[in-house]
Amino acid sequence: MKKKDTRGEIIRIGTEMIARQGYNATGIDAVLKEAGVPKGSFYHYFRSKEEFGLAVIDHFAERFEQRMEEFLGNENLAPLARIRDFFESGLTRVTQNQCTKGCLIGNLGQELADLNERFRARLDEIFGMWRERFAACLREAQSRGELSDAVDPAVTAGFILSGWEGAILRAKVMKSPQPMRDFVDLLFSAILGQK
């Protein structure tokens, strides 16, 4: 008989609930109820709600890193095509969930960056890792002659990340994926010089 990973289940359910309603609006009791875990068990797995929140962030970041590797690490495609495929996949996901969830890391950054230094630092670290994934693709595109050497990969990767996160936020607010579509189209035509 397979042993239940209770801590993992609490994190998984917490991730879903926080993605829907935010960190502050997500009560531990509701997470435990959804997970079928007795109230008193929470502190067996986490010292505090903050530790739980950091575990949720790490869980999401690990899953998202796998997704980034799937797309940005796909050596069967040219580097800029990898970036485009990554964004097209994100656009599809946001469209499928009717623009309701957005990016958990971006959402938590807006909600918690000014309120909790540990959260802010961890979220910033994750954004930095994501920026570096884009920068690596841009450097590879330059080495293959796909992208001008005049483009600064680190600065452009930061712009890409900020623009994408902003487009996701606007998609949520507008309940339309159009800001994300506009971002991708403009990024490739005007910034990266692709058609």
Side-chain angles (χ1 to χ4, degrees):
M1 179 178 252
K2 189 176 178 182
K3 184 179 178 191
K4 181 179 176 184
D5 176 14
T6 303
R7 185 178 192 277
E9 184 69 0
I10 293 169
I11 292 169
R12 186 189 67 72
I13 289 170
T15 301
E16 290 175 12
M17 293 179 77
I18 290 170
R20 281 195 313 268
Q21 60 199 33
Y23 175 79
N24 288 317
T26 300
I28 296 303
D29 290 347
V31 173
L32 295 173
K33 182 177 181 184
E34 181 77 19
V37 176
K39 273 187 182 183
S41 297
F42 178 80
Y43 293 102
H44 173 72
Y45 300 104
F46 307 97
R47 286 189 299 255
S48 64
K49 185 177 180 187
E50 179 183 55
E51 185 182 288
F52 165 69
L54 289 166
V56 165
I57 289 169
D58 288 343
H59 171 72
F60 180 87
E62 287 168 18
R63 283 187 13 232
F64 199 78
E65 176 59 30
Q66 291 170 354
R67 189 165 170 269
M68 289 188 94
E69 177 58 29
E70 176 187 337
F71 286 94
L72 302 182
N74 180 359
E75 294 185 5
N76 293 322
L77 295 176
L80 297 182
R82 294 178 214 160
I83 294 173
R84 183 182 289 275
D85 276 4
F86 174 78
F87 288 140
E88 293 295 342
S89 170
L91 188 65
T92 298
R93 283 173 173 250
V94 168
T95 301
Q96 287 172 342
N97 70 41
Q98 290 93 38
C99 305
T100 58
K101 290 184 181 175
C103 170
L104 181 66
I105 301 302
N107 293 348
L108 291 175
Q110 291 175 349
E111 182 180 358
L112 300 172
D114 289 338
L115 304 176
N116 183 302
E117 179 57 23
R118 287 181 70 199
F119 282 143
R120 187 210 60 75
R122 182 63 181 121
L123 294 167
D124 187 48
E125 180 182 358
I126 292 165
F127 280 137
M129 291 186 302
W130 295 354
R131 185 188 67 234
E132 181 49 37
R133 293 300 303 255
F134 289 124
C137 277
L138 296 174
R139 286 191 295 273
E140 187 180 343
Q142 285 177 322
S143 73
R144 292 177 170 208
E146 288 182 51
L147 186 62
S148 167
D149 287 338
V151 172
D152 182 321
V155 171
T156 304
F159 169 80
I160 289 171
L161 180 60
S162 296
W164 183 244
E165 287 293 324
I168 293 170
L169 169 65
R170 290 206 53 234
K172 272 183 66 174
V173 171
M174 293 173 62
K175 296 292 185 210
S176 167
Q178 192 61 48
M180 295 169 69
R181 172 85 275 143
D182 293 345
F183 171 78
V184 171
D185 291 347
L186 188 61
L187 171 67
F188 282 91
S189 65
I191 308 300
L192 300 178
Q194 307 294 302
K195 294 182 181 194

